Amino acid sequence: MAELHTDRLLLRRWRDSDLEPWATMNADPEVREHLGDLLSRDRSDASVAQYQADFDRRGYGWWAVEVRGTGEFIGFAGLDPVDDGMPFTGVEIGWRLARSAWGQGYATEAARAVLAYGFDTLGLPEILAVTTSTNHRSQAVMRRIGMIRDPADDFDDPSAPDGPLRPNVLFRIARGART
């Protein structure tokens, strides 16, 4: 499994020591605001096992993100095929960080490294990003990394219940358009 290095971050394989801070993130209502229900410790741990299995099988997925200077685990970033049942197909970029890591440019930095991997190593022609229509922080990251939103692509997430998690926006970036 490839590790990705940026000036401040290491995107790496998950470790047992990541499970506790990951579970804390998944139990934080602010971190989960645009994602749905809080996760139990068992569901949180199971998500990591699935991420590792997907990475081993595909060669890409969700990397654990740590701050290089301190070794602190701060969340995840990576690529994942779009879920079945969505009104589009492709590979999606994403990130989720602990609140203590918000506002420091880490999501943008990690996302740029993931885009480079997706385009330069995997040879993807396009990468997508999806979030709720109210998740302005993630949409700002998408714009900072050069992604473009066409409102005609906005959609209701068929897996989300009626309410604020259902309306979603779709951003795209083609291989030659990266900043």
Side-chain angles (χ1 to χ4, degrees):
M1 173 179 157
E3 288 188 344
L4 305 181
H5 300 261
T6 71
D7 288 343
R8 301 180 298 160
L9 302 174
L10 171 63
L11 284 69
R12 56 159 173 79
R13 186 167 194 79
W14 291 79
R15 300 177 185 148
D16 288 343
S17 60
D18 300 330
L19 295 176
E20 182 66 36
W22 178 245
T24 299
M25 283 177 57
N26 285 314
D28 183 331
E30 284 188 74
V31 171
R32 300 281 311 168
E33 177 183 5
H34 301 284
L35 301 167
D37 295 335
L38 303 180
L39 298 186
S40 68
R41 175 63 190 258
D42 287 344
R43 285 184 61 205
S44 182
D45 289 356
S47 70
V48 170
Q50 185 64 55
Y51 301 155
Q52 292 178 157
D54 289 345
F55 219 117
D56 290 343
R57 184 174 38 83
R58 286 192 308 254
Y60 68 92
W62 302 115
W63 283 273
V65 177
E66 78 173 47
V67 177
R68 288 176 64 178
T70 65
E72 176 189 7
F73 169 87
I74 60 169
F76 84 175
L79 297 164
D80 198 47
V82 170
D83 292 338
D84 292 337
M86 296 302 256
F88 49 87
T89 59
V91 175
E92 177 182 357
I93 189 172
W95 47 84
R96 186 178 322 155
L97 299 180
R99 272 190 295 142
S100 62
W102 292 1
Q104 299 179 53
Y106 290 142
T108 302
E109 189 171 330
R112 284 189 175 124
V114 171
L115 279 181
Y117 185 84
F119 290 137
D120 300 340
T121 302
L122 299 179
L124 297 172
E126 177 182 65
I127 295 175
L128 311 173
V130 173
T131 192
T132 60
S133 61
T134 57
N135 189 347
H136 302 293
R137 287 187 308 266
S138 279
Q139 291 178 48
V141 172
M142 294 168 192
R143 285 189 297 275
R144 279 195 293 275
I145 64 173
M147 300 189 94
I148 303 294
R149 173 182 168 219
D150 179 347
D153 290 334
D154 293 354
F155 66 101
D156 285 342
D157 183 344
S159 67
D162 285 337
L165 300 181
R166 195 160 178 85
N168 275 242
V169 296
L170 174 66
F171 282 70
R172 300 174 183 270
I173 187 169
R175 182 183 330 188
R178 145 171 77 129
T179 57

